[in-house]
Amino acid sequence: MRMTEYYRKWAIGPLRDYEACREYAHTIGAMRNTRPGMSRNHYLDHVDAISFIYDWKGRENIYISIAAYNPEKEIKGYPYLYFDFDCPENPELAISKGLEFARSVKNRYAAHPVTYLSGFKGLGVIIPLKTYVDWDTYTALWRTLIQPYNYLGKLIDTNVLDRRRLHRIPYTYNIKKGVRRLSRLISLNRQIIRPGEFDWDNYEPLDPGQVAIYRIKAELPLPRPIYLGGSKHRMKKLLPRKIEDLANTDSVPPCIRNIIDTMIKSGDIDHYARLVLVWYLKWTGFTVDNVVDFYRRYAKDYNERITRYQVEYAFGLKGSRKNYLMPSCRWMKEHGLCLECGWDRNPITYTYSKALVNEEIKELFYRIVRSKAIHV
Ligand code: SF4
């Protein structure tokens, strides 16, 4: 009875939608290690889902869709966001980074993610939502939340960004090559949560309206106006001199605004997001001291010596003394740091085209670009 109620909670989801169907799948031959990759899918309401789960639990892998459907198999919406932290070589790393991400979402938005061990090599993170969202909103929320913690795209399975994605139901078995392990719910501080203790009420949902989703088209710089006399700069505004203010400035691209905003609110963005921010600040005229002061104000793990060294290194003043450019949008995309605003050149030229930036710095940037024959 206890398990039946538990599985029903997953079927109806955090919005307690008893009318909804979910797509379920079971593998074929996982215990005998035959026909890898084969599975069978079904659309089930919460009543049929229970018998489906009992039929296959322990014999096959069982999955549930991230989407909720109506009985005509049309998507009603998405009741939660799903993230899969996965590292076959180092499952512990995936688990600790997944929990770190979940804790940061809690700090930033006061939303409480559900976390579960997948059984073998990673962690599932589910962020319940206050309302159903459509697919466009789902992807925008997903990207915005994960971007400052993407670890260069290495630990996050980006294949989960699929409108028909399914995920393992916690407290079913993960079966691989004939070996099975139970997937278990855990708390953000790694305590096991038993099925009878689970309830969506224990997890504060995320209000999608709280997350700044950067509306891409509106963000893009307009085509350059033709100036009939006067300065071509007169249409541009000066960039704010306070780093915090950049998070609300539309001449700063969404990828950078999101990193700054996350740093201010949670204080624990990942190393690469920090590095990208340093390069952006360097090429928009901020000094080493400005950047170090910013990290001193917000980074939870702040260490004066290490931070100063890393910032000076990124500015080309220490170590290899290379004058690092701001990475291109392509690089940002390849490393999971792009929020797909459509600029597709270089985040720094986004700002150069919209705001007044120190001319010498800008000139230097373009000079290096020309010398390397890079297209920006
Ligand atoms: S396209 Fe470029 S500027 Fe726009 S979000 Fe992606 S990396 Fe940033």
Side-chain angles (χ1 to χ4, degrees):
M1 193 58 197
R2 192 175 52 109
M3 286 312 284
T4 302
E5 273 320 299
Y6 166 79
Y7 291 129
R8 196 181 315 283
K9 284 173 186 168
W10 279 95
I12 59 173
L15 300 174
R16 280 104 174 149
D17 187 349
Y18 286 89
E19 308 295 316
C21 292
R22 306 287 289 274
E23 186 178 357
Y24 290 80
H26 65 81
T27 50
I28 298 172
M31 228 19 215
R32 297 186 306 279
N33 191 21
T34 56
R35 308 173 81 182
M38 286 286 290
S39 65
R40 204 154 284 156
N41 295 41
H42 317 259
Y43 290 85
L44 305 171
D45 63 18
H46 70 93
V47 179
D48 292 338
I50 305 299
S51 40
F52 168 87
I53 292 170
Y54 282 126
D55 280 353
W56 296 105
K57 188 181 164 189
R59 295 164 53 206
E60 295 291 350
N61 293 294
I62 307 172
Y63 304 101
I64 186 171
S65 60
I66 56 172
Y69 295 81
N70 63 24
E72 287 75 45
K73 300 183 184 171
E74 292 157 344
I75 292 182
K76 286 181 92 168
Y78 296 84
Y80 48 69
L81 307 173
Y82 166 61
F83 299 84
D84 183 16
F85 286 76
D86 190 71
C87 183
E89 308 78 42
N90 189 350
E92 178 47 37
L93 179 68
I95 293 165
S96 60
K97 291 296 178 189
L99 288 171
E100 195 176 292
F101 166 67
R103 282 193 290 267
S104 76
V105 169
K106 197 171 175 210
N107 289 339
R108 196 176 171 195
Y109 298 109
H112 192 156
V114 178
T115 41
Y116 65 92
L117 300 169
S118 67
F120 282 99
K121 54 184 179 150
L123 187 90
V125 177
I126 285 183
I127 303 178
L129 298 173
K130 254 194 181 139
T131 53
Y132 279 130
V133 294
D134 62 18
W135 182 244
D136 284 350
T137 309
Y138 184 103
T139 51
L141 287 170
W142 194 95
R143 284 206 177 97
T144 305
L145 292 193
I146 200 67
Q147 184 239 13
Y149 306 97
N150 205 352
Y151 316 105
L152 292 188
K154 283 185 187 140
L155 297 172
I156 313 290
D157 180 359
T158 47
N159 293 328
V160 299
L161 217 46
D162 168 352
R163 64 178 73 223
R164 278 196 56 198
R165 182 70 194 194
L166 292 90
H167 67 90
R168 187 176 305 288
I169 306 172
Y171 286 105
T172 61
Y173 286 91
N174 186 340
I175 306 173
K176 267 194 186 67
K177 299 181 180 164
V179 179
R180 64 177 203 180
R181 289 198 195 147
L182 192 62
S183 157
R184 293 169 196 270
L185 289 166
I186 56 168
S187 67
L188 299 187
N189 54 9
R190 294 187 184 237
Q191 301 296 310
I192 295 288
I193 296 172
R194 296 194 175 80
E197 295 163 343
F198 174 76
D199 197 284
W200 290 112
D201 280 344
N202 302 334
Y203 299 89
E204 186 60 30
L206 174 73
D207 178 356
Q210 249 186 301
V211 182
I213 299 179
Y214 304 93
R215 293 294 172 196
I216 304 318
K217 292 261 154 54
E219 297 282 334
L220 283 179
L222 296 169
R224 283 185 188 180
I226 298 166
Y227 297 96
L228 301 170
S231 164
K232 67 175 181 173
H233 296 319
R234 70 184 173 188
M235 305 283 284
K236 293 183 179 176
K237 283 195 188 137
L238 275 173
L239 212 53
R241 294 318 302 159
K242 218 171 148 209
I243 296 172
E244 286 84 340
D245 293 340
L246 298 180
N248 300 311
T249 303
D250 65 5
S251 51
V252 179
C255 49
I256 301 298
R257 286 165 66 179
N258 193 45
I259 290 173
I260 296 172
D261 189 58
T262 310
M263 191 63 193
I264 294 170
K265 289 183 181 150
S266 77
D268 64 352
I269 61 176
D270 96 76
H271 174 72
Y272 297 101
R274 288 180 202 210
L275 197 54
V276 159
L277 178 58
V278 176
W279 283 325
Y280 177 85
L281 295 170
K282 166 187 164 182
W283 288 110
T284 45
F286 289 88
T287 64
V288 167
D289 282 340
N290 295 152
V291 181
V292 171
D293 287 349
F294 176 74
Y295 284 122
R296 188 186 298 116
R297 282 197 291 280
Y298 298 105
K300 279 187 182 157
D301 56 354
Y302 182 76
N303 174 305
E304 177 76 28
R305 192 179 54 80
I306 296 174
T307 307
R308 187 164 285 281
Y309 180 82
Q310 288 176 340
V311 173
E312 287 179 350
Y313 190 99
F315 267 68
L317 305 171
K318 284 269 158 72
S320 62
R321 294 179 187 267
K322 216 171 132 188
N323 209 350
Y324 294 99
L325 285 177
M326 176 74 203
S328 66
C329 291
R330 188 164 162 195
W331 186 94
M332 296 279 283
K333 210 169 274 192
E334 283 166 5
H335 295 86
L337 290 158
C338 170
L339 286 184
E340 308 276 353
C341 81
W343 181 245
D344 292 339
R345 288 183 242 173
N346 187 302
I348 213 77
T349 58
Y350 182 108
T351 297
Y352 288 174
S353 72
K354 288 188 103 178
L356 280 178
V357 175
N358 180 308
E359 279 298 315
E360 271 176 41
I361 290 172
K362 213 164 127 179
E363 261 310 302
L364 179 61
F365 179 84
Y366 283 120
R367 210 176 321 132
I368 299 175
V369 163
R370 278 194 297 274
S371 73
K372 294 184 179 208
I374 304 169
H375 178 66
V376 290

